[in-house]
Amino acid sequence: MINSLPSAWQAVSIAGGSVYVVQMLSGVLPYTGQWNPEGEYEYNMDVLAEEPELVNDDPDEGPFEWKFTFDEDAVWSDGTPMSGEDLRATWMMSASPDEGYCEGCDSRGTMSADKIEEIETDGQTATIRLKEGLADPEWESVFDAHSVAGGFLPAHLAEENGWDIDDPAQLGEYYEWLHSTMPEWSGGPYQIVEGDLNTEVIKEPNPEWWGDEPGLDRIRMPFNDDEGTFYNAFVNDEIDGANPADYNEDVFTQLEGVDNANMGIDEGSTWEHLSFNLEVEALQDVELRRAIFTAIDRDDIASRNYEAGYPEYELKNNHIFGNDSEYFVDHYEDETQGTGDIDAATEILEDAGYEIEGDQLTLDGEEVGPFSLRSTDSSVRNTSVQLIQQKLAEIGITANIDMTDDLGTMTAEADYDIVQFGWSGSPWFATNPEQFWHSESGSNFGGYANDEVDELTEAVTNASSLDEAADKANQAMEVLVPEAYVMPLMADPNYFFADERLENVHDNLNSSYRATYNIGEWTLADQ
Amino acid sequence: MLVYTMRRLVGAIPVLVLASILTFVMVDISGDPLLELRTATPPPPEAVIEQEAERLYLDRSMPERYWLWVTGIGGEGNIGLLQGEFGPSTQGQQYEIGPEIAERLWTTLRLVGIAMLLALGLAIIAGAVSAMRQYSKLDYTLTFVGFLCLAMPTFWLAGIVQASGVEINQLIGENLFKTIGDGRYGAEGAPPWDQFVNAFAHMALPTLVLMLTSFASWSRYQRTSMLEVLNSDYVRLARAKGLRDKVVIRRHALRTALIPLTTVFALGVAGIIDGTILTETVFQWRGLGDFFITAVENNDSYALMGWLLLSGFMVILANLIADLLYGVLDPRIRYE
């Protein structure tokens, strides 16, 4: 079961750009590689003849360049071999309108595609060259399972339908066709044989699939956006499993009690954080911000929210890397921030000239605050802001809780003093630091500006390797954390459940495909 | 009657136009259709936002957009009610509002059609019996059931019915009731009996919920109306003339007592479009209620306008049908 309605048949566009579209297309879209549940990157050797080759990784010596070669057996479901042209068409549809390749295309993520100068194709080989001076530490990712398309799209169908992919207007028509037409084509172990975007899709094995034979004869993927129905539907044998997008303790514990449920829960890709609006004059004082973060008890927030269903929760001590990542550095090890230590918070305030008179914090005789403490109205965030409010009261700060249903407007207009919301991470991390903290980023809602952080985040995006990018990202966090602009709290857990008669079904929290990432390997236990 | 009907239909046009202007303005000022795009992470390039604004005609003023929405003159062929186009959707180029509404309307009608008929029949019988046996145990029982159904929030009642369906399935060891979806792909190409069983399995529980929620209020109206008629002079006269009780009830009392229920029923049917939102959500049916919620979530102005227009049209139509039915039920009413 897919946890919401996919709004288009492909994932490149703004409308189609959701994990639900990607999961619907699991087993259908081919891709060059993906992160497995253990956090290791695997190339898709069903599709590729050999591992991709990095031809030049030094932009000073020439264009940053790499090469993909498809396996000779790799074909689309109509028998057409996969080719470099497929990658070229996918790239042109994924680029921003300013690049001029595709008229009317509205790709949801253009950053990687816009770096590419050209893709040279020679049959089953594609050589990708970046624009002068640019590098991409995540070069393998451009056509993988985590890319904007969730893989790559066929080019030959454009020609079959009378469109020339080198004509921007015609490529735009092809793009629209791909998003509005149920794919009867496939480049994976399954193909969609029936369905619509409102109710469900039904998949059957792709007869042209050249890899290991898929284990199931038919897969029904209903779309269900009401988690309250999961338990009844599962017990009533209407669904065999799901990987819900959100953690709901009631549903999780209910499902845990079902005998035939194979359950899994772990740290998900979305993490909660607190952030200040630096346009607010009082909050421009770093000592006040540090004192506020110090007064907040992250462990209390996490345990009150997750202890019952997920007692293994861990606090997030690195904004970009999970605790099990090879690049993880604990940036809060020597920090008082997030400890809930009221004495330490009080000391910071007093050293900075603040006074607590009665139950009110003042500076030069003036009241500090009150501050608006905002978030979206979910049970986790409701609990969290109430705990924060209590803690801030202990250091003489009044926080007025104001929940909203419209996170977009609130953050875009920076209509808050202190805010809690979630960011989504991924093993591909290189664009995140710039997006979160660069002074010119549209997602740096609180207005943080630091030249050193700007430089470091730009260096992350344009690093030549992941190691270099990770190092720069950690350097940026070293600068950022003492400035107490944003404090990570904890990663939201994600769970999945499946009927135990199914085998090889497990969650992959490193991928948008989640449990469907290995759909071709699903089998029945008695097979 | 034909002239009257035509006059009413023509008279409805300015009402619809005024309602559409009012709702267009309200929808327009209620949110920015591009908000989600502007606040997306990672942020899309400015060129994509501009392109989307142009596609949704947001580069034009509100009066221009309204004129465009009605006439389609100056549009790209995807807008203009007079041309049969409802406008572009924020849910993507592939999302066609007109066909989507038509498909969703059919789904909703399928869900509520039987429920309404059953609820109406049950309400008439229960209301009439309650009135005829006023203050009896049966009356108290029916009154209790009616108030119970009225008092229970729809989502809660739906949840209970859903869980009960699962319990019954487990007791009988058969999957007689389904709890989610309309099962449209469940029996395609199967023999008619299998198709019926599949349809029944998916429709039974949501139909029961809708029936109970509608029956509850309608039966109360019917009871009150019936009591009023039973205590009227002409019924007493009919009885005094020696007519049999059954004839008095069937021919004289019930027919008159149905008139108030006609209005309530007609408006109830019109309100079904928005009244099924919760039931559709709990049972995961993709009808007009779900269409409305999705449109609101996506700040989809033209989709909302399409839904509101249909809703307004249904209210006008239902009122007209109710007025015409008065003539059928009450011989004193004639339309000229």
Side-chain angles (χ1 to χ4, degrees):
Chain A
M1 183 184 70
I2 294 172
N3 192 197
S4 190
L5 273 69
S7 43
W9 287 107
Q10 293 300 328
V12 184
S13 71
I14 287 158
S18 74
V19 296
Y20 314 113
V21 175
V22 168
Q23 288 168 18
M24 173 186 72
L25 293 170
S26 56
V28 171
L29 272 182
Y31 48 81
T32 56
Q34 68 173 334
W35 292 94
N36 68 17
E38 288 74 40
E40 293 155 358
Y41 193 76
E42 290 176 344
Y43 295 112
N44 184 355
M45 298 316 290
D46 283 324
V47 163
L48 298 175
E50 57 195 54
E51 291 194 356
E53 180 191 351
L54 186 57
V55 180
N56 176 36
D57 66 352
D58 186 352
D60 294 333
E61 289 184 3
F64 191 96
E65 183 179 319
W66 70 97
K67 196 192 284 185
F68 286 111
T69 304
F70 288 112
D71 190 282
E72 281 185 1
D73 293 333
V75 292
W76 296 98
S77 52
D78 59 4
T80 306
M82 291 179 185
S83 75
E85 283 297 288
D86 298 328
L87 302 189
R88 199 166 71 88
T90 306
W91 156 57
M92 290 194 292
M93 288 189 281
S94 307
S96 90
D98 288 340
E99 298 289 310
Y101 301 122
C102 184
E103 221 168 82
C105 288
D106 60 344
S107 169
R108 69 188 160 98
T110 61
M111 204 175 265
S112 294
D114 287 355
K115 280 183 169 183
I116 297 173
E117 176 67 33
E118 64 169 346
I119 295 185
E120 190 181 303
T121 65
D122 179 14
Q124 280 150 314
T125 301
T127 306
I128 296 143
R129 289 192 192 95
L130 297 190
K131 290 172 181 167
E132 194 182 335
L134 294 183
D136 189 346
E138 295 168 351
W139 55 274
E140 301 111 306
S141 72
V142 183
F143 303 106
D144 75 359
H146 320 282
S147 64
V148 66
F152 58 89
L153 300 160
H156 70 282
L157 291 177
E159 196 183 338
E160 270 179 24
N161 285 282
W163 294 304
D164 176 2
I165 62 167
D166 289 311
D167 179 323
Q170 293 187 36
L171 185 62
E173 287 179 41
Y174 180 48
Y175 177 88
E176 197 179 332
W177 180 81
L178 282 169
H179 282 81
S180 59
T181 312
M182 187 184 88
E184 290 174 355
W185 49 268
S186 170
Y190 286 97
Q191 60 184 16
I192 297 173
V193 292
E194 216 170 21
D196 58 63
L197 293 173
N198 287 331
T199 53
E200 64 186 42
V201 291
I202 296 167
K203 295 175 184 175
E204 289 180 1
N206 168 9
E208 293 293 322
W209 174 246
W210 62 97
D212 293 338
E213 193 182 341
L216 301 175
D217 294 335
R218 193 172 165 89
I219 298 174
R220 255 188 74 231
M221 286 186 152
F223 312 134
N224 184 335
D225 55 6
D226 183 8
E227 58 196 2
T229 65
F230 294 173
Y231 172 78
N232 281 332
F234 185 64
V235 171
N236 205 34
D237 289 336
E238 291 173 78
I239 58 169
D240 290 309
N243 42 234
D246 298 314
Y247 172 71
N248 181 315
E249 194 171 286
D250 291 341
V251 179
F252 176 74
T253 46
Q254 235 182 345
L255 285 162
E256 259 190 322
V258 181
D259 289 343
N260 61 327
N262 173 17
M263 304 287 296
I265 185 166
D266 213 333
E267 201 170 90
S269 58
T270 304
W271 51 280
E272 296 289 314
H273 70 275
L274 281 168
S275 181
F276 288 111
N277 180 359
L278 302 188
E279 299 296 318
V280 178
E281 197 180 336
L283 295 173
Q284 287 169 1
D285 181 359
V286 67
E287 297 306 323
L288 176 63
R289 300 201 301 266
R290 284 181 58 80
I292 289 175
F293 277 171
T294 298
I296 293 168
D297 188 343
R298 295 191 302 161
D299 190 56
D300 193 26
I301 293 171
S303 76
R304 300 261 191 133
N305 277 303
Y306 301 135
E307 185 77 45
Y310 182 50
E312 302 85 9
Y313 72 85
E314 288 183 60
L315 298 179
K316 192 159 175 64
N317 289 341
N318 186 305
H319 305 66
I320 302 296
F321 304 111
N323 295 356
D324 54 354
S325 164
E326 61 178 305
Y327 300 125
F328 174 80
V329 173
D330 189 340
H331 290 288
Y332 284 86
E333 198 174 14
D334 301 319
E335 273 290 338
T336 56
Q337 293 180 53
T339 57
D341 186 338
I342 297 298
D343 292 339
T346 308
E347 196 181 326
I348 294 170
L349 289 169
E350 285 171 354
D351 288 350
Y354 291 86
E355 286 176 42
I356 300 177
E357 296 170 7
D359 55 0
Q360 179 62 57
L361 184 71
T362 60
L363 179 65
D364 300 332
E366 297 280 318
E367 177 187 346
V368 177
F371 298 118
S372 70
L373 173 59
R374 304 199 68 189
S375 192
T376 49
D377 200 3
S378 71
S379 61
V380 168
R381 290 175 185 166
N382 265 309
T383 305
S384 177
V385 292
Q386 283 173 33
L387 292 170
I388 292 167
Q389 186 185 46
Q390 286 169 19
K391 282 293 190 180
L392 295 194
E394 290 182 42
I395 55 169
I397 292 174
T398 304
N400 296 320
I401 293 173
D402 181 10
M403 307 305 271
T404 178
D405 288 328
D406 193 349
L407 177 71
T409 307
M410 179 185 68
T411 49
E413 295 174 358
D415 185 15
Y416 60 84
D417 296 336
I418 308 168
V419 67
Q420 179 180 338
F421 64 100
W423 279 120
S424 191
S426 155
W428 291 132
F429 62 87
T431 57
N432 293 348
E434 193 172 351
Q435 183 194 338
F436 298 159
W437 312 313
H438 195 283
S439 57
E440 289 177 15
S441 165
S443 306
N444 177 9
F445 305 113
Y448 176 72
N450 181 310
D451 291 342
E452 194 182 354
V453 171
D454 280 358
E455 267 177 41
L456 286 165
T457 56
E458 285 167 19
V460 174
T461 315
N462 212 31
S464 298
S465 69
L466 279 180
D467 290 349
E468 184 190 339
D471 182 45
K472 299 289 183 193
N474 275 317
Q475 285 183 43
M477 281 178 271
E478 267 175 43
V479 179
L480 183 83
V481 169
E483 298 216 86
Y485 164 58
V486 56
M487 180 169 72
L489 299 173
M490 66 274 174
D492 293 329
N494 278 131
Y495 69 98
F496 107 109
F497 60 96
D499 193 308
E500 60 186 13
R501 72 196 172 93
L502 287 167
E503 281 191 346
N504 294 331
V505 183
H506 35 253
D507 210 352
N508 182 357
L509 290 164
N510 290 316
S511 171
S512 300
Y513 281 94
R514 296 283 303 273
T516 68
Y517 84 103
N518 66 337
I519 190 169
E521 295 167 18
W522 292 0
T523 56
L524 287 173
D526 54 6
Q527 275 183 348
Chain B
M1 188 183 278
L2 184 66
V3 174
Y4 173 80
T5 306
M6 292 306 293
R7 208 167 55 216
R8 285 286 304 269
L9 283 174
V10 170
I13 292 173
V15 175
L16 269 177
V17 170
L18 278 174
S20 72
I21 292 173
L22 190 66
T23 48
F24 194 91
V25 172
M26 287 170 70
V27 168
D28 203 84
I29 59 175
S30 66
D32 175 8
L34 295 179
L35 184 71
E36 204 171 320
L37 191 55
R38 293 186 212 281
T39 57
T41 49
E46 196 54 37
V48 169
I49 296 174
E50 282 170 20
Q51 185 178 282
E52 193 66 359
E54 202 178 320
R55 187 178 73 79
L56 296 169
Y57 302 106
L58 295 171
D59 53 348
R60 307 187 191 195
S61 66
M62 189 204 289
E64 276 181 291
R65 275 204 305 282
Y66 177 76
W67 177 249
L68 194 61
W69 179 69
V70 175
T71 66
I73 297 168
E76 300 290 328
N78 58 357
I79 193 166
L81 286 179
L82 298 178
Q83 298 176 24
E85 297 289 344
F86 284 77
S89 165
T90 58
Q91 297 171 63
Q93 295 179 39
Q94 78 292 334
Y95 193 88
E96 292 186 67
I97 295 169
E100 193 70 28
I101 286 180
E103 192 191 326
R104 301 294 193 107
L105 177 62
W106 169 238
T107 303
T108 295
L109 287 178
R110 204 152 52 97
L111 180 62
V112 300
I114 297 171
M116 291 300 104
L117 288 176
L118 288 173
L120 183 66
L122 204 62
I124 291 171
I125 294 168
V129 170
S130 267
M132 285 156 55
R133 305 266 186 278
Q134 195 183 11
Y135 304 134
S136 66
K137 280 182 185 170
L138 183 63
D139 180 29
Y140 285 130
T141 306
L142 289 171
T143 301
F144 174 75
V145 171
F147 277 117
L148 190 68
C149 292
L150 265 179
M152 279 198 278
T154 305
F155 74 91
W156 196 60
L157 176 64
I160 288 175
V161 168
Q162 205 173 42
S164 306
V166 175
E167 286 293 323
I168 292 169
N169 283 347
Q170 290 180 337
L171 274 176
I172 62 175
E174 286 279 336
N175 238 345
L176 184 63
F177 301 115
K178 303 283 186 187
T179 62
I180 50 168
D182 62 5
R184 67 180 65 180
Y185 299 109
E188 272 196 340
W193 174 250
D194 290 349
Q195 288 189 24
F196 170 77
V197 170
N198 177 60
F200 173 81
H202 285 92
M203 286 183 72
L205 301 180
T207 300
L208 182 65
V209 172
L210 281 174
M211 189 193 81
L212 289 176
T213 48
S214 301
F215 148 81
S217 59
W218 292 351
S219 67
R220 304 312 300 160
Y221 277 108
Q222 181 62 23
R223 181 180 180 275
T224 309
S225 172
M226 193 72 182
L227 279 174
E228 202 175 309
V229 173
L230 287 175
N231 293 323
S232 65
D233 290 342
Y234 80 91
V235 169
R236 262 198 297 273
L237 177 65
R239 281 186 171 138
K241 280 168 71 180
L243 283 177
R244 280 185 300 152
D245 209 37
K246 276 184 185 171
V247 176
V248 172
I249 296 292
R250 187 162 42 83
R251 279 205 192 155
H252 299 282
L254 185 59
R255 193 167 166 178
T256 311
L258 282 175
I259 294 175
L261 189 65
T262 308
T263 312
V264 176
F265 175 70
L267 289 174
V269 170
I272 275 166
I273 289 183
D274 38 287
T276 58
I277 291 173
L278 292 171
T279 311
E280 283 182 9
T281 302
V282 173
F283 290 96
Q284 292 290 292
W285 278 57
R286 305 295 171 206
L288 282 168
D290 183 74
F291 175 90
F292 172 75
I293 295 285
T294 311
V296 170
E297 282 174 352
N298 287 283
N299 279 323
D300 198 343
S301 315
Y302 298 119
L304 271 176
M305 283 306 298
W307 186 90
L308 289 165
L309 191 76
L310 178 69
S311 190
F313 177 75
M314 293 281 277
V315 169
I316 288 169
L317 189 71
N319 271 309
L320 176 62
I321 291 171
D323 286 350
L324 295 176
L325 278 174
Y326 289 160
V328 177
L329 294 168
D330 190 342
R332 292 170 303 178
I333 299 171
R334 287 287 174 268
Y335 299 107
E336 290 175 4

